[in-house]
């Protein structure tokens, strides 16, 4: 199986660089034309991938491995201002200990990214659940 990252089972001991936060959208798998959204906080990437699974994380080297092994490419990366980094960190910690139920729409990779960023006070929009269209 291709690399998806490491299990995000706890992250409280590692404060991430929320001043360097980005939404990252990579190409989708198979017929998924919408792409796949991830949270980037400094050197780390976070995403959900699976029908009822825990979030995944990877460092910058793991991200390159993820792209290579999954035949993906980065479509775009957009900086996101996070006024309350502690709240974003807390939301990611909350999600790290529970399974994310993938419901295609609306509970998908885009909503995971949005919820983490909104917890940190960002005003990211929610006009579509298609990552390629949402943040382009």
């Amino acid at each position: 199986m291709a690399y998806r990252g490491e299990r995000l089972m706890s992250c409280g001991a590692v404060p991430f660089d929320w001043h360097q936060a980005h939404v990252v959208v990579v190409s989708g798998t198979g017929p998924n034309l919408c792409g796949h959204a991830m949270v980037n906080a400094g050197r780390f990437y976070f995403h959900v991938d699976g029908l009822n699974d825990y979030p995944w994380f990877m460092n910058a080297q793991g991200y390159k491995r993820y792209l290579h092994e999954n035949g993906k490419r980065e479509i775009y990366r957009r900086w996101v201002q996070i006024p309350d980094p502690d709240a974003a960190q807390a939301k990611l910690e909350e999600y790290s200990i529970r399974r994310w139920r993938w419901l295609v729409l609306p509970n998908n990779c885009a909503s995971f990214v949005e919820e983490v960023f909104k917890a940190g006070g960002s005003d990211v929009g929610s006009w579509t659940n298609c990552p390629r269209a949402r943040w382009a």
Side-chain angles (χ1 to χ4, degrees):
M1 178 168 236
Y3 181 74
R4 293 191 287 173
E6 309 299 323
R7 294 274 185 212
L8 180 60
M9 298 301 286
S10 178
C11 58
V14 180
F16 303 112
D17 185 357
W18 292 102
H19 299 292
Q20 291 298 320
H22 300 87
V23 58
V24 176
V25 175
V26 300
S27 54
T29 303
N32 176 3
L33 300 176
C34 282
H36 182 67
M38 307 173 110
V39 170
N40 168 239
R43 303 177 329 209
F44 297 96
Y45 295 79
F46 309 91
H47 70 121
V48 291
D49 182 9
L51 295 178
N52 189 29
D53 211 345
Y54 294 99
W56 300 88
F57 82 99
M58 60 196 93
N59 61 19
Q61 182 179 0
Y63 175 67
K64 289 178 185 175
R65 177 182 171 194
Y66 169 81
L67 293 175
H68 176 74
E69 289 189 17
N70 289 279
K72 294 181 179 280
R73 64 180 174 82
E74 186 171 303
I75 297 171
Y76 59 85
R77 170 184 301 257
R78 176 156 299 153
W79 178 74
V80 177
Q81 183 177 9
I82 306 294
D84 188 351
D86 291 337
Q89 182 84 20
K91 181 58 78 174
L92 195 57
E93 179 70 22
E94 174 190 332
Y95 285 158
S96 73
I97 59 173
R98 68 178 178 151
R99 292 179 184 273
W100 182 268
R101 179 162 291 229
W102 189 286
L103 299 175
V104 182
L105 298 174
N107 211 42
N108 62 14
C109 60
S111 57
F112 173 82
V113 170
E114 181 178 287
E115 288 185 32
V116 171
F117 286 155
K118 278 194 171 186
S122 173
D123 61 353
V124 292
S126 62
W127 53 274
T128 178
N129 282 303
C130 180
R132 185 184 292 253
R134 178 180 282 185
W135 292 293

